[in-house]
Amino acid sequence: MSDLNKPYILIVEDEAPLVTLLRYNLEKQGFRVEDTGDGGEALTRITEAPPDLLLLDWMLPTMSGIELCRQLRRRPATRALPIIMLTARAEEQDAVRGLDTGADDYITKPFSTEALIARIRALLRRSGSVPQKLKLNFHDISLDPASHRVIRNGRALHLGPTEFRLLEFFLRHPKRVFSREDVLNAVWGRDIHVEPRTVDVHIRRLRKAINGPGEVDIVRTVRAAGYALDLDLGEVA
């Protein structure tokens, strides 16, 4: 299974050893994992591409986990986002405060990774947030993951399976630059050996499939960095 089709969990935690442990165990169980140790950066990431579930530490730099949870619950787009709060605070009143702020579950450090994964699976089942089947739109192009239809300027586009997954990945993360290795891991999967230059071949095929006469190329090549879905063509290799 490619990483794109796996449930996406964002870990917001500033303890590096714990992040490493969580990432290893979650990826082993078939989840796609990203992490950040900063509450402000987490808010930006979630705004750009909401995860299927958030693992949120209470104590964070810039913005506390409690404040981040409070802001997410105020926003219609993230009001129902599943959130599990991780904390060293073991007092009952702390658990009550975390849950009252909007966390769906609360787990005290240290904890069993098996128990945490069981809670994650249960919460994802209850939330019905996986798989994500909403239409994805950027500029004049629209992709429907459920029907596998792609429309640009009113015309249907015909993409191969790999090009479809590529476009879906970029549409879920617009305006973010990804290296070839990032794209390989997300679209092909970490357990598949593919040469990085293979990405260039499929990017060319994708461009050929989605770009008609007079239409802007929305897949940007960023010199020495990778690719992005972006209308800013100022830095093209």
Side-chain angles (χ1 to χ4, degrees):
M1 178 187 290
S2 73
D3 282 13
L4 186 63
N5 296 319
K6 297 176 181 179
Y8 165 36
I9 295 177
L10 177 63
I11 302 172
V12 187
E13 167 64 67
D14 61 345
E15 293 183 29
L18 179 57
V19 171
T20 300
L21 177 67
L22 289 173
R23 176 183 280 276
Y24 172 79
N25 283 280
L26 289 169
E27 289 180 344
K28 188 177 178 181
Q29 292 296 318
F31 295 99
R32 178 165 64 93
V33 180
E34 292 187 13
D35 67 84
T36 176
D38 183 272
E41 181 183 343
L43 187 60
T44 300
R45 288 200 194 185
I46 293 166
T47 301
E48 293 176 350
D52 293 307
L53 184 141
L54 183 66
L55 288 180
L56 178 60
D57 184 32
W58 182 300
M59 299 297 293
L60 293 167
T62 308
M63 179 188 301
S64 71
I66 285 287
E67 179 57 28
L68 176 56
C69 185
R70 185 179 291 116
Q71 291 200 28
L72 292 172
R73 290 305 185 230
R74 287 174 184 161
R75 301 180 176 192
T78 53
R79 191 165 292 155
L81 172 65
I83 298 175
I84 297 179
M85 188 158 282
L86 311 176
T87 180
R89 295 171 176 258
E91 297 297 324
E92 182 178 353
Q93 59 265 33
D94 292 324
V96 170
R97 183 183 173 196
L99 294 170
D100 282 348
T101 303
D104 297 285
D105 203 350
Y106 183 100
I107 189 165
T108 304
K109 304 174 186 175
F111 51 80
S112 158
T113 54
E114 291 82 2
L116 175 62
I117 290 170
R119 292 190 187 196
I120 289 171
R121 293 193 185 281
L123 186 51
L124 287 174
R125 284 196 299 270
R126 291 201 303 270
S127 70
S129 62
V130 179
Q132 189 175 21
K133 291 296 183 182
L134 297 177
K135 286 185 179 180
L136 304 170
N137 301 284
F138 181 82
H139 188 47
D140 55 3
I141 196 164
S142 174
L143 181 148
D144 187 341
S147 65
H148 273 243
R149 289 173 58 86
V150 181
I151 304 293
R152 184 169 192 183
N153 282 326
R155 75 181 192 283
L157 304 180
H158 302 287
L159 277 62
T162 301
E163 287 68 45
F164 184 92
R165 294 198 303 273
L166 265 176
L167 181 60
E168 182 178 3
F169 171 68
F170 283 122
L171 284 168
R172 291 194 187 279
H173 307 88
K175 298 185 179 181
R176 286 180 58 183
V177 178
F178 293 95
S179 68
R180 292 182 179 89
E181 289 74 16
D182 292 334
V183 175
L184 282 174
N185 290 334
V187 177
W188 277 265
R190 295 177 185 272
D191 54 344
I192 303 297
H193 177 70
V194 181
E195 290 296 326
R197 289 293 175 182
T198 302
V199 174
D200 301 337
V201 174
H202 287 282
I203 289 289
R204 285 196 295 271
R205 291 178 182 173
L206 176 61
R207 283 173 165 152
K208 184 176 180 180
I210 67 176
N211 295 327
E215 291 177 336
V216 64
D217 183 2
I218 60 175
V219 180
R220 182 163 64 104
T221 301
V222 183
R223 186 178 291 108
Y227 296 101
L229 191 71
D230 200 340
L231 293 176
D232 180 8
L233 304 178
E235 188 185 356
V236 179

